[in-house]
Amino acid sequence: MPERGRLEKAPVRPAAELVAEIGRRNEEMAALSDELLARRAVELRFRCGSGEPLDSLLVDAFTLVRETAWRVLGERPYDVQLLCGIALHRGAVAEMETGEGKTLAAVAPVFLSALEGRGVHVLTYNDYLARRDAAWMGPVFDRLGLSVGCVQEGMEPAARRSAYRADVTYVTAKEAGFDLLRDQLCLCLEDQVHRPFHAALVDEADSILIDEARVPLVIAGNVSRPPGELYRLAEVARRLERGLDFDADAEGRNVFLTERGSYRVEELLGCDSLFGAEATPLTAQVRNAVHAEALLTRDVDYIVRAGAVEIVDELTGRVAERRHWPDGLQAAVEAKEGVALRDEGTVLGRIALQHFLRLYPRLSGMTGTARPAARELEEMYGLDVVTIPTHRPSIREHLPDLVFLTREAKDRAVIAEVARCHEVGRPVLVGTVSVAESERLAARLRRRGIECRVLNAKNDEEEASVVAGAGRVGAVTISTNMAGRGTDIRLGGEDERERDRVVGLGGLAVIGTNRHDSRRIDDQLRGRAGRQGDPGSARLFVSLEDDLMQRCGIGTRLPAQALERSWEGGLEHPLVRGEIDRAQRIVEGQSVDARKRLWEHSSAIEVQRRLVSEWRQSVLDGTAQLDLLRERCPERWAELRGGAGEELLERIERRLTLLALDRCWSDHLSELERVRGEIHLVALDGREPLVELYRTAASAYEELWERVDEEIVSLFRTIEIGPDGVDWEAEGLLGPSATWTYLVSDDVFGDNVLLSLANRPSIGLMAALLPWLGPVLFVWGIFQHWQKRKKMAALGG
């Protein structure tokens, strides 16, 4: 995993030669005792520490890992797994078919990178996979002389610190990101859990680097929610009529009150105009209430469980743990459902996963579906995609989609297909897009006397046991996209006792009930069948009433002859499949545009966040030269120096600087979010919103440091300082008494102006200008700032 930048390509021939050389050394390595193998591992660490480049150690390291894995696990990595490992070492995203053994393939490149002693993070898709893979591969690393740690949600700071100090750490990307945010609020250096980032290998890379990467991680503090009549507003929203009182855009991301709707709301609330300056907060709450009522659906976009609203990730079907909708929309949904309102708190820090992952100097990844996202991976991360051949030829049947005019006709066909397979004992996995659909199909199957197990966001804790049994004879499993990542459905059940019989029946039959917004999700579902040369089949059932088809208006674009029913409601006209493919490409393009817009906005904050965090860290570790209080408060400084001493005063100034910076940064984030929500109004004046956003952010950054200075000086003048220092608790300067973390579904909130701008014609020019315009504005602001502040010079050193 080399340094990012212009990454080395991974040509097939040189990689094949390396694999051949590793194979030639197998016999030599097999003849060594366990003690000699351990000594070889020590020698590799010594050679690395002596300055020998990792590339020259690759063959020795991979050969050692291959033999060690055989002795510890009884599994010797195949040649294709070694090819995958070489691609990962070279800093690429390895596309490896599902079921080909990516977990084992990652061990060799992780071992090689860990020889440098600076730690390697294996970023997994969820906590279960982090725990499983650490326990599974841990004994191999242990035999090779490396320590292994695993970070789980809810762990105490001491345990997290210990896990991050290990040579290899298994952790989810979001948990590692949350730990960074927590570290950036620490007031003592020893409270931080991370060490400097070195290398990360991302499992399920397309999901984490592309789909999840747009989601901001947020840390908040305990500040009460501003009062508001949210429950009353939810009732008002229920009484409004779509098309008369409000309407929505074609993408279903924004709601707009009509003139009639505005008067109707004012009448129901008994209030004055919604458009006065003083009514701005109420107007935002009304818009949230209508958005929650009209555009967010229970058991599709979210579920209600244990008295709380929990968001369902549209890409995985899982509950998106600790994820909130931003800017009051979460509270509006909670009011709609009549549950207790959770405190959002004051945002103390945030970072998009996309930016967090770019903090690793070395980055690589592996997944079964990278090729469709290859361009985006290269543009965002500089990562090439390398396709790895399968160990055995795939014999999976990719059956053509079956298309139906109505959802009811599709459901009947799905039930009939499941019944046909079940009658002979062939296991079936049905993939759905929502909780509601999975439960509807399960109820219809049970009425036909077909027992099935349902895996969706309402029972996600049962995932491992449900998936383990999905390959048994006669098993029928209905799942949202949850069973699509990091799982292994073994033919014949977990113990493969009935494997031969299932193979004879044709293997696992995978049935998808929709086309998803991304082809990668469809491919992940298809990949559940026919793993490692097993038989299996995959087919998608689609109706023109599905959400994707409705959003793209396919029915209105097809000629009448294409909509004629040819058999049991099925459509066979070639135009139909062509239009479905086109619709999916359009939606994928819209998602890419939205991610780019979100990237451009978050980049404005990220440049500033990195500068602030670097400065804060230098204050925390004592390397920053602080002289503000000597210059601004010379009399009090001189007066206290005699009793408290210079060293104590410097420690106090560091503490005050950290507290002031944290408070002002939180206010700065709130201000930028406010600006972001209103910046589109400058278009009415003929200005480009994104240019103004960058300009405003640069100006706000300058003001941030002025406020920090004022806050430090104000605190210093008012706190009581004795010979022993400051009673921080008595002064109320302990930082937030409680913090919590969550994710923001930034791409879902309809009022997000950047999503609205994504389809504007002028955005093409802006996309071309912003890569250099944003940095120019920030460099200008920072240059001015450095000229005016001596202490910022410490950042450069």
Side-chain angles (χ1 to χ4, degrees):
M1 292 183 279
E3 301 291 330
R4 283 209 312 278
R6 186 62 263 162
L7 293 169
E8 178 188 349
K9 300 284 184 178
V12 175
R13 183 58 188 165
E17 289 177 1
L18 291 172
V19 170
E21 187 176 351
I22 292 168
R24 288 192 294 270
R25 295 194 185 183
N26 277 344
E27 190 173 335
E28 170 201 341
M29 198 64 66
L32 299 178
S33 65
D34 290 349
E35 182 180 352
L36 288 175
L37 279 183
R39 191 176 299 171
R40 288 286 181 95
V42 173
E43 290 172 358
L44 283 174
R45 297 193 79 162
F46 177 79
R47 289 166 60 188
C48 180
S50 300
E52 193 168 343
L54 293 183
D55 283 347
S56 68
L57 303 177
L58 186 148
V59 171
D60 289 337
F62 277 47
T63 307
L64 181 59
V65 168
R66 195 178 208 187
E67 180 61 27
T68 303
W70 172 249
R71 297 189 188 188
V72 174
L73 302 176
E75 298 181 48
R76 179 176 281 112
Y78 301 124
D79 286 355
V80 294
Q81 290 172 306
L82 296 177
L83 285 172
C84 177
I86 292 168
L88 293 172
H89 167 68
R90 289 173 169 170
V93 172
E95 183 181 68
M96 196 176 195
E97 281 259 356
T98 53
E100 291 290 307
K102 291 188 287 292
T103 305
L104 181 58
V107 173
V110 168
F111 168 70
L112 181 58
S113 190
L115 291 175
E116 293 181 309
R118 297 165 59 192
V120 180
H121 293 175
V122 181
L123 302 178
T124 64
Y125 192 62
N126 55 44
D127 267 0
Y128 163 72
L129 293 175
R131 187 170 62 250
R132 183 201 71 179
D133 293 352
W136 186 9
M137 298 296 133
V140 180
F141 288 117
D142 182 66
R143 186 74 69 88
L144 292 166
L146 298 182
S147 56
V148 175
C150 176
V151 177
Q152 299 278 279
E153 183 180 348
M155 282 177 59
E156 293 298 317
R160 291 174 181 270
R161 193 175 304 110
S162 175
Y164 286 123
R165 292 301 184 272
D167 295 306
V168 180
T169 305
Y170 286 86
V171 58
T172 64
K174 68 175 185 293
E175 202 62 34
F178 284 141
D179 281 329
L180 174 72
L181 292 177
R182 283 185 281 258
D183 278 355
Q184 291 176 348
L185 292 176
C186 288
L187 297 176
C188 298
L189 192 61
E190 57 269 21
D191 290 339
Q192 294 186 318
V193 299
H194 273 301
R195 54 175 164 165
F197 292 148
H198 173 227
L201 189 157
V202 184
D203 194 10
E204 302 299 347
D206 64 314
S207 179
I208 294 175
L209 293 173
I210 300 295
D211 301 325
E212 296 286 340
R214 69 188 187 278
V215 180
L217 309 175
V218 174
I219 185 166
N222 53 341
V223 178
S224 299
R225 180 196 304 277
E229 298 178 326
L230 298 183
Y231 293 110
R232 184 182 176 200
L233 292 175
E235 179 59 35
V236 168
R238 278 190 283 271
R239 297 174 66 177
L240 301 180
E241 298 181 50
R242 187 166 190 158
L244 294 176
D245 298 318
F246 69 91
D247 212 337
D249 62 12
E251 290 77 32
R253 290 191 176 117
N254 294 271
V255 289
F256 311 98
L257 284 177
T258 63
E259 184 177 7
R260 167 189 150 136
S262 299
Y263 288 128
R264 177 77 169 142
V265 170
E266 291 166 359
E267 176 188 347
L268 292 171
L269 291 177
C271 67
D272 294 330
S273 172
L274 289 176
F275 301 103
E278 68 284 352
T280 300
L282 176 61
T283 303
Q285 290 180 334
V286 169
R287 189 171 57 246
N288 282 337
V290 178
H291 186 118
E293 179 65 30
L295 300 184
L296 298 175
T297 306
R298 182 169 176 165
D299 289 343
V300 177
D301 301 296
Y302 64 91
I303 63 172
V304 177
R305 182 167 63 181
V309 169
E310 298 185 315
I311 296 175
V312 175
D313 189 299
E314 72 278 12
L315 298 172
T316 68
R318 289 180 170 88
V319 164
E321 296 178 4
R322 297 184 298 177
R323 186 177 297 182
H324 289 196
W325 285 297
D327 302 327
L329 183 58
Q330 179 79 24
V333 177
E334 290 165 347
K336 167 188 172 182
E337 296 295 340
V339 303
L341 304 183
R342 287 184 288 181
D343 191 0
E344 289 183 350
T346 295
V347 173
L348 304 176
R350 62 182 284 160
I351 185 173
L353 263 177
Q354 201 171 48
H355 294 296
F356 168 71
L357 293 166
R358 289 167 61 93
L359 296 179
Y360 289 92
R362 298 183 183 179
L363 189 66
S364 64
M366 55 186 184
T367 180
T369 48
R371 185 56 61 184
R375 182 175 179 180
E376 202 168 349
L377 288 167
E378 203 282 329
E379 289 178 351
M380 289 294 180
Y381 302 98
L383 295 173
D384 296 320
V385 172
V386 175
T387 301
I388 308 300
T390 57
H391 176 57
R392 297 189 182 95
S394 174
I395 59 173
R396 179 193 310 124
E397 288 186 276
H398 286 273
L399 302 172
D401 294 0
L402 295 180
V403 185
F404 302 86
L405 191 63
T406 66
R407 183 178 289 113
E408 174 57 28
K410 180 188 72 173
D411 284 357
R412 287 198 304 268
V414 168
I415 298 298
E417 181 67 12
V418 172
R420 185 184 66 79
C421 293
H422 183 68
E423 186 177 358
V424 298
R426 187 180 181 189
V428 183
L429 173 66
V430 182
T432 65
V433 295
S434 70
V435 173
E437 184 180 34
S438 65
E439 295 183 339
R440 183 180 75 242
L441 289 175
R444 294 184 69 159
L445 285 170
R446 286 166 182 153
R447 286 197 295 270
R448 281 192 64 157
I450 299 174
E451 277 305 310
C452 58
R453 299 192 71 180
V454 179
L455 178 62
N456 60 36
K458 289 187 175 179
N459 62 344
D460 51 355
E461 69 279 358
E462 301 174 18
E463 178 176 1
S465 62
V466 172
V467 171
R472 290 183 292 103
V473 171
V476 176
T477 307
I478 300 179
S479 173
T480 52
N481 297 330
M482 297 175 68
R485 300 273 186 178
T487 59
D488 190 11
I489 299 176
R490 299 179 181 274
L491 299 187
E494 190 172 14
D495 58 5
E496 300 186 90
R497 185 177 306 170
E498 300 174 306
R499 174 181 170 80
D500 291 344
R501 183 178 173 191
V502 174
V503 168
L505 293 170
L508 180 69
V510 169
I511 297 172
T513 63
N514 290 264
R515 284 281 192 99
H516 293 85
D517 286 2
S518 168
R519 287 169 293 167
R520 290 182 286 108
I521 308 300
D522 293 336
D523 291 343
Q524 281 285 337
L525 179 61
R526 293 185 181 102
R528 298 309 97 199
R531 299 158 73 91
Q532 290 200 352
D534 286 341
S537 66
R539 166 169 271 167
L540 302 184
F541 289 65
V542 182
S543 91
L544 299 189
E545 292 181 344
D546 292 343
D547 178 63
L548 175 64
M549 308 304 145
Q550 290 287 302
R551 276 187 283 146
C552 296
I554 284 183
T556 63
R557 293 204 301 268
L558 290 170
Q561 62 268 28
L563 300 178
E564 295 175 357
R565 302 184 181 188
S566 54
W567 61 277
E568 297 182 1
L571 303 173
E572 293 188 339
H573 197 285
L575 278 176
V576 174
R577 289 196 180 91
E579 280 298 314
I580 290 175
D581 290 340
R582 179 173 175 270
Q584 194 172 43
R585 288 195 301 271
I586 289 173
V587 172
E588 284 181 326
Q590 290 174 345
S591 296
V592 171
D593 287 342
R595 287 194 292 268
K596 286 181 179 178
R597 302 291 79 76
L598 290 166
W599 162 263
E600 287 158 359
H601 167 261
S602 61
S603 293
I605 298 178
E606 176 60 14
V607 171
Q608 298 177 358
R609 187 205 65 78
R610 293 186 71 165
L611 288 168
V612 169
S613 65
E614 287 177 35
W615 167 248
R616 189 188 192 281
Q617 190 66 27
S618 70
V619 174
L620 186 63
D621 64 25
T623 59
Q625 182 64 43
L626 303 180
D627 53 18
L628 178 68
L629 295 180
R630 287 186 183 87
E631 294 177 358
R632 296 279 190 93
C633 308
E635 296 86 0
R636 187 162 201 229
W637 184 275
E639 176 188 341
L640 292 170
R641 185 172 53 192
E646 188 91 11
E647 183 180 346
L648 178 58
L649 285 180
E650 288 177 354
R651 289 205 304 270
I652 291 172
E653 182 170 7
R654 291 191 188 282
R655 175 76 168 241
L656 292 177
T657 301
L658 294 173
L659 290 167
L661 187 55
D662 291 345
R663 289 181 180 183
C664 294
W665 177 247
S666 176
D667 293 342
H668 181 69
L669 289 176
S670 298
E671 174 64 14
L672 287 184
E673 282 304 299
R674 184 193 66 77
V675 170
R676 178 191 181 193
E678 300 172 359
I679 200 69
H680 62 289
L681 297 176
V682 303
L684 300 176
D685 193 32
R687 290 175 287 165
E688 278 292 349
L690 291 177
V691 172
E692 293 302 314
L693 178 63
Y694 273 84
R695 193 189 308 279
T696 303
S699 176
Y701 180 74
E702 177 67 24
E703 294 173 4
L704 163 70
W705 289 104
E706 294 174 3
R707 292 199 305 271
V708 170
D709 282 355
E710 293 170 1
E711 181 85 0
I712 296 169
V713 171
S714 175
L715 289 171
F716 182 67
R717 286 172 173 165
T718 56
I719 61 174
E720 184 175 337
I721 302 175
D724 297 326
V726 178
D727 185 340
W728 298 107
E729 183 174 3
E731 296 289 346
L733 297 174
L734 294 177
S737 59
T739 61
W740 57 92
T741 55
Y742 58 88
L743 299 98
V744 179
S745 291
D746 219 1
D747 60 320
V748 177
F749 186 41
D751 203 37
N752 187 328
V753 64
L754 294 176
L755 289 176
S756 303
L757 289 171
N759 296 318
R760 287 183 51 185
S762 62
I763 209 69
L765 174 61
M766 289 308 303
L769 292 176
L770 278 168
W772 61 265
L773 179 58
V776 166
L777 287 170
F778 280 117
V779 169
W780 173 83
I782 293 164
F783 173 74
Q784 294 294 320
H785 187 61
W786 281 7
Q787 291 284 74
K788 291 163 63 176
R789 296 176 55 91
K790 267 180 67 177
K791 74 179 184 180
M792 288 303 292
L795 263 176

